Amino acid sequence: MLTNSRSPIRRLSSLWLPDTRPRAFRSSGALALVASAAVATLLPTDVHAVPMPTAPEAAAADLTPVFTSSSQLWDAVVALPDGRVALQAPRWLGGNGPQLSIARESEMPAAYPNAAWNASDGPVDEHFVALAGITLAPDGQLWAVDSGVPDREKPPTADARLVEIDTHSDSVTRVLSIDPAVLRPGSVLGGIAIHGRTAYVLDSGAAGLLVIDLGSGVAQRFMDHHPALTAGRPIQTRDGVVAAPDGRPIAIDASLIAVSPDGKWLYVQAYCGPLYRVNTAFLDDPASTGAAFQEAATLWYKTGALGGLAVGHDGTLYWSDVATGSVDSYTPGRIPHHLITDPRLTWPGGLALAPDGRLIIPAAQLDRAPRFHQGHSTVVWPETVYALRTPADATSDVLRK
């Protein structure tokens, strides 16, 4: 589905800038939400009062390779408590290998939880269709979002769902179908964060936030087309603006999400930025109104295009900056730290904090995938996943000069 043919912006299913055509909202409250949120974007903010330092705190020697592939484009990783790392390779990029792999350092990644779940065909409820996000729950379970959309220019081939994997037995323990009532035409589920027994899942195809009770499976939808979740500009990388085959620039709605350790705050952003913080109390209160949701989302930092977002046990945020090939941190006291910029970090993707304190970062090279170059890959093989020794100052509320 495309925007008006005269538009300079390419809409590639979930890769799109906001549609400004009139919409039918389901309630006056929804209309109030959008109107009040639009006003909120005009209000002054101090989110960039402390600029990102220019000098990196880590050196090139602190960034070391841990995994490589000559065929897989891994766009996100999750570090497990036992030292293993799960690696996601989305099918929409055209890869034929496992969508989910696992390995320890110095090992070759293997299909996870097994080859059958990574097969390209077979019963839909027994294999991944289109993985779009992975996260580790507090209880050690690995959860994956399966959007059911292997080609973002075509309709879904399967229902959207969450897949729970027991990392002790290395087996799928639950497949949780997403209620179609909380989806919209063009929905493509993406990022996921979990606190307790609640999953927060972003819709990057029709900007919105799903809140899912993992016990009952009941799902609710919030913040439809909210500015905090809607892309306002195309994706900018070190090599320029990412463009579709027809040359028009591409943008992606909300797909980055993390939750604070205490569960009080969600951090969300469209791929292009900026970063917002959302008070989860509003999502739990049935009395919340559209006006209340205006206050629920606060512009938190003026980030550019990010490939990944993670949060440490102390609440420090870590993000990978696609525009500069950097990794940065942002403390609960709102102090930014520039950790590293390195030419090896081409489109750094979804990163993870390992048990030993290092950051695990895939250099995903998504902008070099064939679909962005008339079917011809410009990927420089091998793709590499790096580990970054995290500087001690990364969590400090004292700004380093």
Side-chain angles (χ1 to χ4, degrees), residues 200-267:
Y200 302 95
V201 180
L202 292 173
D203 187 340
S204 66
L209 171 66
L210 307 188
V211 179
I212 304 171
D213 185 317
L214 294 177
S216 65
V218 172
Q220 300 178 79
R221 186 181 182 97
F222 298 91
M223 302 176 70
D224 267 339
H225 303 290
H226 193 289
L229 306 180
T230 305
R233 58 181 183 266
I235 300 169
Q236 176 79 38
T237 73
R238 287 187 306 200
D239 297 328
V241 173
V242 180
D246 61 10
R248 283 186 285 178
I250 289 173
I252 303 177
D253 279 343
S255 54
L256 301 173
I257 186 169
V259 61
S260 64
D262 58 11
K264 293 181 179 179
W265 305 102
L266 286 180
Y267 301 96

Side-chain angles (χ1 to χ4, degrees), residues 119-194:
S120 59
D121 54 18
V124 170
D125 59 353
E126 296 178 5
H127 79 280
F128 300 128
V129 176
L131 289 193
I134 53 177
T135 194
L136 189 70
D139 61 3
Q141 300 291 84
L142 182 68
W143 284 86
V145 179
D146 190 333
S147 69
V149 186
D151 187 334
R152 294 177 180 244
E153 291 186 310
K154 298 179 181 178
T157 62
D159 293 336
R161 57 197 175 148
L162 303 184
V163 180
E164 181 184 25
I165 303 172
D166 187 321
T167 59
H168 301 290
S169 64
D170 297 331
S171 60
V172 172
T173 54
R174 188 180 183 193
V175 177
L176 180 61
S177 297
I178 304 298
D179 184 354
V182 299
L183 303 179
R184 301 288 183 265
S187 284
V188 182
L189 300 188
I192 178 173
I194 291 177

Side-chain angles (χ1 to χ4, degrees), residues 314-337:
D314 66 342
T316 296
L317 287 171
Y318 300 88
W319 59 67
S320 50
D321 190 320
V322 168
T324 61
S326 303
V327 178
D328 302 313
S329 68
Y330 194 52
T331 72
R334 304 183 76 176
I335 299 300
H337 294 278

